[in-house]
Amino acid sequence: MDYKWSLDALYTGFDSEAFQNDLKKLDELSARYQESAARLDGSAPAAAIRGMLEQEEQLTDLLERMLSYASLRASANTKDSESTSVAGSLMNKLAETVGAQTAFRQFVAAQENLDEIIASDPVLTDYAYLLTNIKKDSRYLLSQKEEEIMSRMNLSGASAWEDLQSYLTSSVKVDFRGGTTTLSDIRNLAYDPDPATRKAAYEAELACYPKIADSVAFSLNSIKLQMLNDCRLRGYESPLQRALYNARMQRKTLDAMFSAIDEYLPKFWAYLRGKAKALGHENGMPWYDMFAPMGKSDRKYTVEEAQQVLLQLFSSFDSDLRDMAAEAFANDWIDYLPRDGKVGGAFCAGIQPIRQSRILTNFDGTYSDIVTLAHELGHAFHNVNLYSHRPLNKEYSMPVAETASTFNENIVNNAAYAAAQSDEERLAILESQLMDACQIICDIYSRYLFETSVFELRGREFLSADRLCELMLEAQKKAYGDGLDHSVLHPYMWLCKSHYYSGSLSFYNFPYAFGGLFARGLYAKYRAEGEAFVPKYKAMLHATTVMGAEDAAAIAGIDLTDHAFWESSLASIAKDIDEFLRLTEK
């Protein structure tokens, strides 16, 4: 068994008859869609809107199938230049439909009696949330020609700057112990059990950044200025207001979450100081030891053993989750093992046209790898709960994107901790959880503070690499407080995090804190309510594409605007920190 995913349910190759036929069909559908958009004026609204939606369904289904195949092939083998080329060509074909899509959305927005039109047709009723939001979104829409120009210019604007950051960070050479390595590999050494290796890797990492810092600073400045200008043109108050609006999330929810986080930050600082002391540091945690492993859990798992662990744990929660995981294991949904040319990390890609997902991991047999696999299967389970929607009702917003995945982590971590046989094993499991929790609270808060300061300044000045380092250090000191040794921070964190480098997506940080804390709150509800909670949980996942964050959460009995909810989630982490400190002192 080679432990690779199969993409045959999509295509067997770019030269296959199926792919070539679909390529022709895509051009035909695109042309028909653009022709229909040009004839909208004077059409009967209900029939015209339904016709355009049905054409968009076909286009979306076909394009998703083809793009998924190309992008998944490229992820499994970054040296596959054909896949990269085909993906670029498909993105260009998508850009050709932007003008028609804008015309359609303008037509929808112009209907004064839209509610009556929606109620007159069952297909339109299914798309009520989408159509209502199109009307709301119209206040931020440019003209058809302007939208088309913006889309095409973005290919050589923010999108190109994003590609530059990705290229430079993936190709820069890092000098380390007489040889060279990649930035990805050197950053992974932060988890190495040897203290000397962690420190040397950190120093080598920081030493490599000046080679590319000025170029990446130009990328960040250009992307953020484009976002600021785009917001002004469209009428958004700010990039943050735009991010919240697109997330279908209220500012009141964000404020409630961050106010609770502010109250609990000292608890996380105490965790960092406690870990630092256990590692022999007296002035707080130096950055290079933040991910140092603690406790002892040497067990290695085969892929098959990891599968059995997850099937057993999932079956204790819900048979649907267990059955989906079993299907993923049996039908080659997962690319497990690291290899040359394969991208690092892990992700899950939902593929609506075939009602399946594909998961990429770099499984090495550790307990952490089992948690990662559970996390990605959570995304796949979220996708399963959306397949009964119509094809265009499939996009959930950033804040809820990490809900099901983090919920799965809670299932695995709680079971593992309960089954631990020694304090050393308990400490290892607890430290793994708290390390992640510290990232979604302290690190995410520092990223949020940094991006806020960049947007505040970029409209007035160009931010040099040195200035960006200063802003990052200020954000880290505020977010991590006295938990870290302020003489050993990470000034270049702005450079290596791809989340800052999107021309269409700003503040890709607070959703991680939201997802982690929301999932904790949901798991607490499950522990309190038992099996009765499971249908509400699945109904909530199903609703995430047709409701705002607050309304979807209400299905599970949660008020996201209530400070007390976020406080209760953070209080559960605080209890884990207390137990961690007890174990380290012991």
Side-chain angles (χ1 to χ4, degrees):
M1 185 174 182
D2 60 9
Y3 301 110
K4 294 179 181 178
W5 58 28
S6 171
L7 303 181
D8 289 351
L10 293 167
Y11 302 100
T12 57
F14 292 124
D15 58 353
S16 67
E17 183 178 356
F19 189 88
Q20 291 300 314
N21 287 340
D22 281 351
L23 201 56
K24 295 175 184 175
K25 185 179 178 181
L26 180 63
D27 289 335
E28 294 168 1
L29 290 174
S30 176
R32 183 155 62 90
Y33 180 72
Q34 293 175 69
E35 290 168 4
S36 298
R39 297 195 301 267
L40 282 171
D41 289 343
S43 302
I49 293 172
R50 174 168 178 158
M52 289 297 290
L53 286 172
E54 288 174 341
Q55 288 186 55
E56 211 167 292
E57 285 181 339
Q58 295 177 60
L59 256 176
T60 299
D61 183 275
L62 187 59
L63 195 55
E64 182 178 355
R65 181 187 294 266
M66 299 175 78
L67 263 175
S68 294
Y69 181 68
S71 63
L72 290 171
R73 273 187 48 162
S75 297
N77 180 12
T78 56
K79 299 174 183 177
D80 182 358
S81 57
E82 183 182 16
S83 294
T84 305
S85 175
V86 171
S89 175
L90 291 171
M91 290 302 294
N92 279 327
K93 290 181 181 294
L94 176 62
E96 292 173 0
T97 67
V98 169
Q101 189 180 63
T102 301
F104 170 50
R105 275 145 180 74
Q106 289 173 335
F107 180 79
V108 171
Q111 306 307 314
E112 295 182 0
N113 62 331
L114 183 61
D115 290 342
E116 295 175 20
I117 294 171
I118 291 171
S120 71
D121 187 294
V123 172
L124 304 190
T125 302
D126 285 343
Y127 281 126
Y129 183 70
L130 173 67
L131 293 169
T132 302
N133 280 328
I134 286 174
K135 190 171 182 69
K136 292 178 181 176
D137 295 348
S138 65
R139 77 188 85 167
Y140 302 119
L141 202 62
L142 303 177
S143 70
Q144 179 179 347
K145 190 64 178 176
E146 287 169 332
E147 288 289 351
E148 186 174 354
I149 291 171
M150 293 287 280
S151 177
R152 291 187 178 278
M153 291 298 290
N154 187 63
L155 297 174
S156 56
S159 181
W161 288 113
E162 179 181 355
D163 289 343
L164 177 63
Q165 185 269 347
S166 178
Y167 171 77
L168 290 173
T169 53
S170 63
S171 61
V172 65
K173 299 300 181 184
V174 183
D175 298 318
F176 185 64
R177 293 181 170 174
T180 60
T181 186
T182 65
L183 183 56
S184 176
D185 286 341
I186 204 72
R187 284 178 56 76
N188 282 337
L189 291 178
Y191 300 89
D192 195 274
D194 177 39
T197 297
R198 294 194 299 270
K199 187 172 186 290
Y202 162 81
E203 292 169 347
E205 179 192 350
L206 291 192
C208 91
Y209 287 124
K211 302 175 187 177
I212 59 174
D214 289 340
S215 298
V216 180
F218 268 92
S219 293
L220 187 62
N221 275 271
S222 300
I223 288 169
K224 296 310 182 190
L225 185 59
Q226 178 171 318
M227 174 57 73
L228 285 167
N229 288 332
D230 197 59
C231 285
R232 291 191 191 101
L233 285 170
R234 296 179 183 280
Y236 290 103
E237 296 171 15
S238 67
L240 178 59
Q241 183 260 329
R242 180 178 187 166
L244 287 168
Y245 180 82
N246 289 336
R248 309 303 179 193
M249 173 177 161
Q250 298 175 24
R251 178 62 187 261
K252 189 177 179 182
T253 294
L254 185 72
D255 291 342
M257 182 183 77
F258 273 129
S259 66
I261 286 174
D262 275 331
E263 290 180 16
Y264 274 85
L265 281 176
K267 199 69 180 179
F268 289 89
W269 303 344
Y271 152 71
L272 289 167
R273 290 195 307 272
K275 180 176 179 178
K277 185 177 179 181
L279 294 172
H281 304 294
E282 295 299 328
N283 299 316
M285 179 70 75
W287 192 278
Y288 57 79
D289 266 354
M290 203 163 2
F291 304 112
M294 292 190 69
K296 190 173 183 179
S297 182
D298 294 333
R299 180 177 175 185
K300 286 281 190 173
Y301 299 83
T302 66
V303 168
E304 289 77 14
E305 287 171 338
Q307 291 173 345
Q308 290 307 309
V309 167
L310 292 177
L311 290 175
Q312 182 179 354
L313 291 177
F314 291 164
S315 65
S316 68
F317 173 70
D318 178 58
S319 60
D320 289 344
L321 175 58
R322 189 261 178 212
D323 291 346
M324 182 220 67
E327 182 182 359
F329 298 151
N331 295 331
D332 300 325
W333 289 15
I334 304 172
D335 198 304
Y336 291 94
L337 305 179
R339 60 179 178 274
D340 183 43
K342 179 178 173 181
V343 298
F347 67 77
C348 173
I351 312 171
Q352 170 84 18
I354 59 173
R355 298 198 166 200
Q356 296 178 12
S357 295
R358 289 297 180 270
I359 291 170
L360 180 144
T361 72
N362 281 274
F363 187 88
D364 194 34
T366 65
Y367 166 75
S368 177
D369 291 325
I370 293 181
V371 176
T372 297
L373 189 54
H375 179 102
E376 301 308 334
L377 286 165
H379 286 302
F381 188 60
H382 198 162
N383 296 334
V384 164
N385 281 278
L386 302 176
Y387 290 147
S388 59
H389 284 304
R390 295 191 70 95
L392 303 182
N393 283 336
K394 65 180 183 181
E395 298 294 335
Y396 43 77
S397 64
M398 280 198 305
V400 297
E402 296 298 325
T403 302
S405 54
T406 312
F407 189 92
N408 270 13
E409 289 187 29
N410 283 309
I411 293 175
V412 174
N413 283 325
N414 280 275
Y417 192 79
Q421 299 297 309
S422 67
D423 281 352
E424 283 289 307
E425 189 177 357
R426 278 186 279 273
L427 183 61
I429 294 168
L430 201 56
E431 161 58 11
S432 176
Q433 294 180 60
L434 290 177
M435 191 163 53
D436 290 342
C438 191
Q439 286 294 290
I440 67 166
I441 301 302
C442 295
D443 190 57
I444 288 303
Y445 193 29
S446 72
R447 296 193 215 178
Y448 175 79
L449 293 171
F450 170 78
E451 191 161 6
T452 298
S453 63
V454 167
F455 275 125
E456 287 175 352
L457 295 169
R458 183 60 190 99
R460 305 192 302 271
E461 60 182 282
F462 178 87
L463 301 171
S464 67
D466 288 343
R467 183 69 175 117
L468 290 169
C469 287
E470 290 174 3
L471 294 175
M472 180 54 74
L473 289 175
E474 290 171 10
Q476 287 174 357
K477 290 174 182 176
K478 184 172 181 180
Y480 286 98
D482 62 5
L484 292 188
D485 182 341
H486 286 192
S487 67
V488 194
L489 299 176
H490 196 310
Y492 288 102
M493 193 54 65
W494 60 270
L495 190 156
C496 61
K497 289 295 180 182
S498 60
H499 299 76
Y500 298 120
Y501 297 85
S502 170
S504 59
L505 192 62
S506 301
F507 291 98
Y508 194 3
N509 35 59
F510 68 78
Y512 283 96
F514 179 105
L517 294 176
F518 185 37
R520 276 236 173 200
L522 286 167
Y523 191 76
K525 297 274 286 185
Y526 164 61
R527 294 287 290 268
E529 299 177 19
E531 291 183 9
F533 174 78
V534 177
K536 291 188 284 186
Y537 173 69
K538 292 192 284 189
M540 183 272 299
L541 292 179
H542 178 78
T544 51
T545 60
V546 292
M547 288 184 183
E550 290 78 14
D551 290 336
I555 293 174
I558 291 171
D559 180 2
L560 294 178
T561 66
D562 185 359
H563 174 95
F565 166 72
W566 302 104
E567 190 175 34
S568 66
S569 293
L570 286 156
S572 70
I573 303 175
K575 288 181 181 178
D576 289 344
I577 291 174
D578 288 339
E579 177 65 7
F580 170 84
L581 295 174
R582 185 189 70 81
L583 289 172
T584 54
E585 290 169 3
K586 180 179 178 182

